[in-house]
Amino acid sequence: MGKLVEVYLLSGFLGSGKTTLLKHLLKEEQKQGRFPAVLMNELGEVSIDSNAIDDRTPLKELMGGCVCCTLSDQVEAQIADLLRTYPIDAIYIETTGAAHPVETLDAVMSPLYAGQLQFKGIITVIDVLRWKERSQLSPQVLQLYREQIAHADLLIVNKIDLVSEFELSTFVYEIQQVNSHATCVFTQHANISINQLKKLKRVQQGHHETTHHHHLHLQSVVYEFSKPIEQIQFEEWIRSLPSTVYRMKGYVAFTHSSYPFLFQYSYGMPVYMPEYMKMPLTLVIIGEELDEERLYSQLKKLEQS
């Protein structure tokens, strides 16, 4: 038998830092002379996070649904193509924030190529601010959130610089009540050593509740801007959004700049990163019970101002 391709499943709720983690791990893999590949699942029809993956890394995208349910039949073909086309050492699978990790694993581990893969484990990224305010989540979302933690082999407690040491120790105690067997790592910007992944040992889990975005009524709304907008008005719009908007990402052009910004939003916190080339001005909004027409109308007004 030839070498087995390692498989890592990156889990975590919307905006926790999965893509940032993935970028770190890919750089580490390349430094060690290894050849990784990525399977990325986007809930909507437009890919934003895939722009974070450099051209040296083979990338397969699954759009418009969830690996663990509606797209499970596509996973088999995409992984088979990666194995057939590239001399890869590892596959990193980044799930949507609404995916159940165990159901995703079931979709990934097809009997057709299981003999070529070595599943190393589930890595769940936890945003400590989201955990701190988890009581504000709906019961269905909270159930998924806890399931993502409970089935992890490695827990990355991220954004620790945003809470006090006392809060962090309290949160870690609470998290370990949900999952006591997983290794727990504390990070800022999801920055960990790849050697911590190599030590992963998969622990068989028991029963899990079937909970993903179809039960949560999560939606993705895509808006395409036709022109630059005023940043101040855009930020006023952000502050007016309901708490059921969990995540936004995309490219936004402002009137004061010649180039667009990569825009990320989670847990009420907007982040802007300048781009130095023209990008598609597309915004993806993810949340529960979104009023699509209202969002479209509000964004259109921003363009007309």
Side-chain angles (χ1 to χ4, degrees), residues 19-20 22-31 34-40 48-61 82 86 94 251 277:
T19 303
T20 302
L22 178 61
K23 289 168 65 178
H24 287 313
L25 294 175
L26 294 177
K27 287 181 181 178
E28 289 274 313
E29 289 276 14
Q30 291 163 358
K31 285 180 183 178
R34 284 164 50 92
F35 194 76
V38 172
L39 184 66
M40 184 175 285
I48 300 297
D49 289 338
S50 62
N51 292 304
I53 309 304
D54 66 42
D55 294 337
R56 294 175 293 173
T57 303
L59 169 68
K60 296 290 185 181
E61 296 178 272
L82 285 173
Y86 304 99
E94 182 182 342
Y251 295 97
M277 62 182 69

Side-chain angles (χ1 to χ4, degrees), residues 91-270:
I91 300 174
Y92 287 89
I93 301 169
E94 182 182 342
T95 64
T96 73
H100 192 295
V102 174
E103 293 172 21
T104 303
L105 176 58
D106 290 342
V108 168
M109 299 304 288
S110 166
L112 291 178
Y113 45 67
Q116 302 175 61
L117 304 178
Q118 180 186 20
F119 183 71
K120 299 290 287 185
I122 295 171
I123 301 104
T124 294
V125 187
I126 304 170
D127 177 346
V128 288
L129 289 180
R130 179 77 72 183
W131 178 263
K132 179 180 180 179
E133 300 295 338
R134 64 192 182 281
S135 61
Q136 298 181 11
L137 300 173
S138 70
Q140 295 91 344
V141 170
L142 182 58
Q143 173 66 30
L144 172 64
Y145 194 28
R146 293 174 68 88
E147 289 278 307
Q148 289 174 337
I149 294 169
H151 291 277
D153 302 292
L154 176 65
L155 292 170
I156 297 178
V157 182
N158 194 30
K159 307 182 186 180
I160 61 171
D161 52 315
L162 302 181
V163 297
S164 68
E165 288 187 13
F166 175 77
E167 286 178 314
L168 180 60
S169 62
T170 301
F171 299 154
V172 171
Y173 175 79
E174 294 168 344
I175 289 166
Q176 288 178 332
Q177 300 306 300
V178 179
N179 183 340
S180 60
H181 78 271
T183 301
C184 202
V185 179
F186 308 136
T187 63
Q188 299 179 35
H189 308 295
N191 194 357
I192 71 167
S193 167
I194 199 168
N195 293 328
Q196 292 170 298
L197 263 68
K198 303 305 178 185
K199 299 174 184 177
L200 273 178
K201 291 185 179 179
R202 178 72 183 140
V203 178
Q204 187 64 37
Q205 297 296 308
H207 174 72
H208 70 271
E209 296 293 330
T210 301
T211 311
H212 46 65
H213 66 88
H214 297 290
H215 298 99
L216 301 177
H217 307 294
L218 278 179
Q219 303 160 259
S220 63
V221 175
V222 179
Y223 185 85
E224 296 184 5
F225 292 99
S226 60
K227 56 187 289 192
I229 58 176
E230 293 285 344
Q231 184 171 355
I232 292 176
Q233 294 179 359
F234 181 66
E235 291 177 348
E236 288 176 353
W237 171 74
I238 292 172
R239 288 191 289 271
S240 74
L241 291 171
S243 60
T244 52
V245 174
Y246 300 132
R247 181 87 160 102
M248 291 190 289
K249 52 189 177 180
Y251 295 97
V252 182
F254 297 117
T255 54
H256 65 79
S257 175
S258 301
Y259 292 100
F261 288 78
L262 172 61
F263 170 69
Q264 301 268 2
Y265 169 96
S266 63
Y267 196 67
M269 298 177 63

Side-chain angles (χ1 to χ4, degrees), residues 14 40-47 61-75 94-100 104 212-214 218-220 249 286:
L14 300 162
M40 184 175 285
N41 184 201
E42 294 271 11
L43 191 61
E45 296 291 346
V46 177
S47 175
E61 296 178 272
L62 296 161
M63 311 291 293
C66 192
V67 164
C68 63
C69 43
T70 56
L71 299 180
S72 59
D73 59 334
Q74 297 181 30
V75 176
E94 182 182 342
T95 64
T96 73
H100 192 295
T104 303
H212 46 65
H213 66 88
H214 297 290
L218 278 179
Q219 303 160 259
S220 63
K249 52 189 177 180
I286 300 174

